[in-house]
Amino acid sequence: MIILITGTRKGIGKAIAEHFLAHGDTVIGCSRTLPDWAENFSNYEHFTLDVSDEEKVLKMFGKIRKNYGGLDALINNAGIASMNHSLLTPIETVKNIFSTNTIGTFLFCREAAKIMRKKKFGRIVNFVTFAVPFKLEGEASYAASKAAIVSLTETLAREYADFGITVNAVAPPAIQTDLIRGVPEEKMNRLLQRQAIHRFGTFEDVINAIEFFLRKESDFVTGQVLYLGGV
């Protein structure tokens, strides 16, 4: 498969990219800065850009169309968060969160679908969050940006269905990455207790869900949001 993954510099994005690369897939990645592991794989190409920068994103998709002739899957992993009370959150922070999380996801879905529809096949997996159903205090902007992606996923699933493109979303559980490193231990423990399964998630948990959505046999699965760990 030819798979485009956003936010591959580190964390979940890096783990997903390395997984599919190890299985022989062609992976195209992007992030704001170049990852330090990219040279380890001959079947990997990286683009350095901001996912909400339409001009640079359009240029990237133009090169994908020219160099690969198609695209099988898109995994919209790139995202940023701000864990702060709404009364203490600057408007610039809100704009940045929505720009990366919501606008970036929309832009990549739109451009990927333009390529995928020519072959009547495509798999899009967006990333959302358990902060939406849990209504997590201190994450108003982040949760709102991801709630928009839930709605986007469900709507695009209907818009793209006739093109043979499925659109689904996965909500990773709390995973010990940079995103939650600054969260107090007591708060994380309370969050884990709210999950049906009371443990941190792993990269393998997320990859397993993504692989299900990407399978050829999953062509009847679309518009779904999978909350790992149980909400």
Side-chain angles (χ1 to χ4, degrees), residues 2 6 35 68 80 85 112 132 146 190 225:
I2 300 173
T6 66
Y68 300 96
I80 58 175
H85 195 285
V132 175
K146 292 292 188 175
R190 289 200 306 269
V225 181

Side-chain angles (χ1 to χ4, degrees), residues 1-8 13 16-17 20 25-31 44-47 49 51 57 60-62 64-65 68 70-78 104 107-109 111-113 115-116 123-127 210 214:
M1 295 185 79
I2 300 173
I3 306 172
L4 172 59
I5 307 170
T6 66
T8 53
I16 297 169
F20 286 108
D25 295 297
T26 297
V27 175
I28 305 159
C30 66
S31 59
Y44 179 80
E45 182 174 5
H46 191 84
F47 290 87
L49 51 76
V51 295
V57 170
M60 182 196 71
F61 274 96
I64 291 173
R65 189 181 290 105
Y68 300 96
L71 183 65
D72 298 307
L74 164 66
I75 302 171
N76 275 312
N77 161 75
L107 185 55
F108 271 72
C109 285
E111 295 307 309
I115 297 178
M116 293 173 175
R123 298 283 183 265
I124 296 176
V125 181
N126 296 325
F127 269 47
I210 291 173
L214 263 53

Side-chain angles (χ1 to χ4, degrees), residues 126-129 132-133 143-156 169 223-225 227:
N126 296 325
F127 269 47
V128 294
T129 175
V132 175
S145 73
K146 292 292 188 175
I149 296 175
V150 172
S151 179
L152 180 69
T153 297
E154 295 169 346
T155 303
L156 294 185
Q224 304 302 305
V225 181
Y227 290 98

Side-chain angles (χ1 to χ4, degrees), residues 14-163:
K14 175 187 175 185
I16 297 169
E18 290 182 330
H19 170 81
F20 286 108
L21 287 166
H23 283 74
D25 295 297
T26 297
V27 175
I28 305 159
C30 66
S31 59
R32 287 192 173 105
T33 56
L34 189 68
D36 58 11
W37 57 269
E39 296 180 355
N40 298 335
F41 298 92
S42 60
N43 50 334
Y44 179 80
E45 182 174 5
H46 191 84
F47 290 87
T48 303
L49 51 76
D50 181 330
V51 295
S52 66
D53 186 329
E54 184 176 21
E55 182 179 354
K56 290 185 178 179
V57 170
L58 292 179
K59 287 182 180 178
M60 182 196 71
F61 274 96
K63 291 181 180 178
I64 291 173
R65 189 181 290 105
K66 179 181 178 181
N67 296 340
Y68 300 96
L71 183 65
D72 298 307
L74 164 66
I75 302 171
N76 275 312
N77 161 75
I80 58 175
S82 175
M83 300 176 188
N84 206 4
H85 195 285
S86 61
L87 297 182
L88 302 174
T89 304
I91 197 62
E92 283 304 313
T93 298
V94 178
K95 290 179 179 179
N96 288 337
I97 289 172
F98 272 84
S99 181
T100 296
N101 298 355
T102 310
I103 295 176
T105 296
F106 175 86
L107 185 55
F108 271 72
C109 285
R110 187 190 72 188
E111 295 307 309
K114 290 178 182 178
I115 297 178
M116 293 173 175
R117 66 177 178 175
K118 294 182 179 179
K119 292 187 177 181
K120 284 284 186 177
F121 176 87
R123 298 283 183 265
I124 296 176
V125 181
N126 296 325
F127 269 47
V128 294
T129 175
F130 51 78
V132 175
F134 283 168
K135 313 293 190 293
L136 287 184
E137 305 91 334
E139 298 190 19
S141 299
Y142 177 63
S145 73
K146 292 292 188 175
I149 296 175
V150 172
S151 179
L152 180 69
T153 297
E154 295 169 346
T155 303
L156 294 185
R158 301 183 70 87
E159 289 190 358
Y160 297 167
D162 290 342
F163 304 141

